[in-house]
Amino acid sequence: MEKLITREEREALQNFLMDINELEKVEAQTSKFNVFETLGIVNMEIRHSNVLGWLFSPNEQHGFSDAFIKRFMQEIIQGYDGTEGTLDPLKVLLWDYHDLIVRREWQNIDLLAISESNRFVLVIENKVWSRESKHQLNKYYEIIQDNFPGYHQVFIYLTPFGDEASNPEIWTSMDYSGVMQMIEYCLESRQNMMENSVRLFIEQYMDTLRRYVVGDSNLEKLCQDIYFKHKKALDLIFEYKPDMYSDVSARIQEMIKENDDLVLDDSNKTMIRFTTKQLDQTVENEGRGWTSSRRMLLFEFQNTTRGLRVKLIIGPGEEHIRERLYDIVSDKPAIFKGKNKKLTTAYTTVYVKNILDYNESYELDHEKLHDAIKNKMDKFFRDDLKNLEKAVLTEY
């Protein structure tokens, strides 16, 4: 039987449509021309590697000269002390990169930068949304040992949120937020030496990283404000929009309900919230302005056009509880990956994990999509969720 819209729901939709000022703010941030969006390459790793390789090359026409590679190395050497077998920070800071050559996909390595004058090689494995293949990093390491013996060697594992590599004793993890800060530094310090067209190109790339890779905090906050202001109208719109994402949301909610150790919280098509029974019995429900349960610590599956990812979020509520939770996760960076650098006043992400990247084949084959989700979710519930729950419970 078709569900009839209530008077209250009709009024909610009307109020939402009348709120022109708020909607125009979102439109202003999302309607700008962006060459990366136009070409449909925002999630293609090889395109991100191409841009980074271009910025690393001192002799390219970007106006940065060697500022980007120098800034990059300044960040890297913070982890070195100059002891035997490591880079000497003082020497590295004095290096000249005029002869730096950047190779793309050499021996399948995403980025390889070589300076013969410094006897230095930089290896970057770039993973935007894909995963590290079995033995992949070990293979690249052995290739470098064979081809560049006696060189200073630096191995970087670059991901959106700084995921740990399979062999972290060799591969240093770096996140795209750090890369963005380096680019912003170069843009500011070299702005008088750049052509306007180049500056615009780099700024569009930065916008792409914010929206599609690391997240745009300003846009997220604006959308959250609009959502809570017009929650009833937006939930109604999301409920009736027929697409793959409704199917995914329903499947995830069903899996949570079927799991005796989990508790489903307020959810919709794009956000599926839940907690574990043990966490629910331990952490006080002293939240406000988030969900009807008043829970302050919730897992949230974010079901977007890019794919499915899960976050653990400290929501608004009693400040002493929020501070206690944040202190606990701050002491365990190896477990709580992707944590915000500081406790914000409302919503603070303390863990992020990419679950599944969507592609066109899932639109055509929902059975394939369901199987992929089940496999990924089962693994998350079995491994990561247990570790996260244990880390909080042992200290709270």
Side-chain angles (χ1 to χ4, degrees):
M1 181 177 178
E2 184 179 355
K3 178 182 175 182
L4 298 177
I5 186 171
T6 66
R7 179 177 180 179
E8 184 181 8
E9 290 171 336
R10 183 180 294 276
E11 289 178 355
L13 287 171
Q14 181 175 321
N15 291 335
F16 171 65
L17 294 174
M18 291 288 289
D19 201 351
I20 300 299
N21 291 336
E22 295 295 330
L23 297 178
E24 285 182 344
K25 290 178 184 177
V26 176
E27 180 72 14
Q29 292 201 42
T30 59
S31 61
K32 297 177 183 177
F33 171 75
N34 186 297
V35 65
F36 297 93
E37 292 177 339
T38 302
L39 295 177
I41 58 177
V42 294
N43 288 317
M44 296 177 66
E45 286 179 357
I46 192 170
R47 305 307 178 201
H48 287 281
S49 296
N50 285 343
V51 175
L52 293 177
W54 176 66
L55 294 175
F56 274 122
S57 302
N59 298 315
E60 290 286 357
Q61 302 301 311
H62 43 54
F64 282 4
S65 185
D66 62 355
F68 185 65
I69 178 63
K70 283 187 173 180
R71 187 67 175 177
F72 191 90
M73 291 305 300
Q74 286 174 6
E75 293 295 321
I76 296 301
I77 61 174
Q78 292 183 25
Y80 294 89
D81 57 11
T83 58
E84 186 175 355
T86 67
L87 290 174
D88 184 337
L90 182 59
K91 290 182 179 179
V92 172
L93 291 172
L94 296 174
W95 277 355
D96 185 292
Y97 297 95
H98 68 279
D99 66 334
L100 190 77
I101 296 175
V102 179
R103 297 181 182 178
R104 288 282 296 106
E105 295 297 332
W106 179 81
Q107 301 272 9
N108 294 321
I109 295 173
D110 288 332
L111 280 170
L112 179 69
I114 309 161
S115 172
E116 293 293 348
S117 63
N118 299 311
R119 300 287 288 173
F120 164 71
V121 59
L122 170 66
V123 184
I124 299 179
E125 180 58 23
N126 184 23
K127 296 293 185 187
V128 177
W129 296 119
S130 63
R131 292 288 185 272
E132 173 190 342
S133 302
K134 189 175 182 180
H135 305 310
Q136 182 181 22
L137 299 185
N138 287 333
K139 174 186 173 184
Y140 295 161
Y141 175 76
E142 292 171 359
I143 289 173
I144 296 302
Q145 303 313 303
D146 292 339
N147 288 271
F148 299 94
Y151 280 61
H152 301 290
Q153 300 171 357
V154 173
F155 297 86
I156 301 297
Y157 187 62
L158 177 61
T159 63
F161 306 110
D163 294 347
E164 187 174 77
S166 57
N167 43 358
E169 67 281 358
I170 296 174
W171 291 81
T172 299
S173 295
M174 180 175 288
D175 59 48
Y176 262 93
S177 294
V179 171
M180 285 181 59
Q181 291 173 6
M182 297 174 205
I183 299 175
E184 287 174 342
Y185 168 83
C186 293
L187 275 174
E188 183 176 348
S189 62
R190 305 283 297 185
Q191 58 182 328
N192 294 330
M193 289 157 274
M194 299 177 62
E195 294 183 7
N196 188 53
S197 59
V198 174
R199 180 181 56 79
L200 290 175
F201 174 82
I202 295 176
E203 287 176 348
Q204 287 183 19
Y205 180 63
M206 295 284 286
D207 288 340
T208 299
L209 291 180
R210 289 190 190 96
R211 288 192 60 192
Y212 296 97
V213 179
V214 302
D216 186 333
S217 58
N218 291 329
L219 183 59
E220 284 183 11
K221 185 180 185 305
L222 177 59
C223 290
Q224 287 174 353
D225 290 344
I226 293 174
Y227 174 75
F228 289 115
K229 186 176 181 180
H230 298 286
K231 182 177 183 296
K232 188 178 291 294
L234 289 170
D235 284 349
L236 190 65
I237 293 171
F238 295 151
E239 180 181 353
Y240 287 103
K241 183 177 181 238
D243 54 21
M244 179 182 78
Y245 311 104
S246 301
D247 200 24
V248 170
S249 177
R251 181 70 186 112
I252 294 174
Q253 292 185 52
E254 181 182 347
M255 291 182 68
I256 293 173
K257 290 177 181 178
E258 292 173 349
N259 192 318
D260 292 336
D261 295 326
L262 304 180
V263 181
L264 185 67
D265 204 291
D266 294 351
S267 301
N268 54 45
K269 182 173 67 174
T270 60
M271 295 182 183
I272 304 96
R273 304 182 184 93
F274 73 100
T275 186
T276 70
K277 284 189 176 179
Q278 289 196 53
L279 286 174
D280 195 35
Q281 295 167 2
T282 303
V283 180
E284 300 90 335
N285 293 345
E286 297 291 340
R288 53 179 176 268
W290 191 11
T291 70
S292 59
S293 68
R294 298 188 67 197
R295 294 186 177 102
M296 297 179 59
L297 184 68
L298 284 171
F299 291 93
E300 183 176 274
F301 283 108
Q302 297 184 345
N303 183 30
T304 70
T305 55
R306 289 179 290 174
L308 181 67
R309 66 178 176 178
V310 63
K311 291 183 176 182
L312 179 58
I313 300 173
I314 300 174
E318 290 299 320
E319 197 60 25
H320 72 278
I321 299 176
R322 302 180 76 247
E323 290 175 354
R324 184 178 178 186
L325 289 168
Y326 189 78
D327 288 343
I328 290 172
V329 303
S330 297
D331 289 338
K332 296 178 172 60
I335 297 176
F336 295 93
K337 299 175 182 177
K339 178 182 71 68
N340 287 165
K341 293 182 178 180
K342 63 179 180 178
L343 182 65
T344 59
T345 56
Y347 304 94
T348 302
T349 298
V350 295
Y351 170 82
V352 179
K353 182 180 179 67
N354 191 49
I355 300 294
L356 182 67
D357 299 322
Y358 294 153
N359 57 53
E360 292 181 359
S361 67
Y362 292 138
E363 292 274 8
L364 303 174
D365 189 345
H366 281 205
E367 184 176 348
K368 176 182 176 182
L369 174 62
H370 288 170
D371 289 342
I373 288 176
K374 186 179 187 309
N375 291 335
K376 297 287 188 178
M377 296 276 287
D378 284 345
K379 186 176 187 307
F380 171 74
F381 289 150
R382 183 178 63 250
D383 300 330
D384 296 56
L385 181 60
K386 294 294 184 184
N387 292 333
L388 293 163
E389 179 189 58
K390 181 179 179 181
V392 174
L393 292 176
T394 54
E395 298 293 334
Y396 195 82

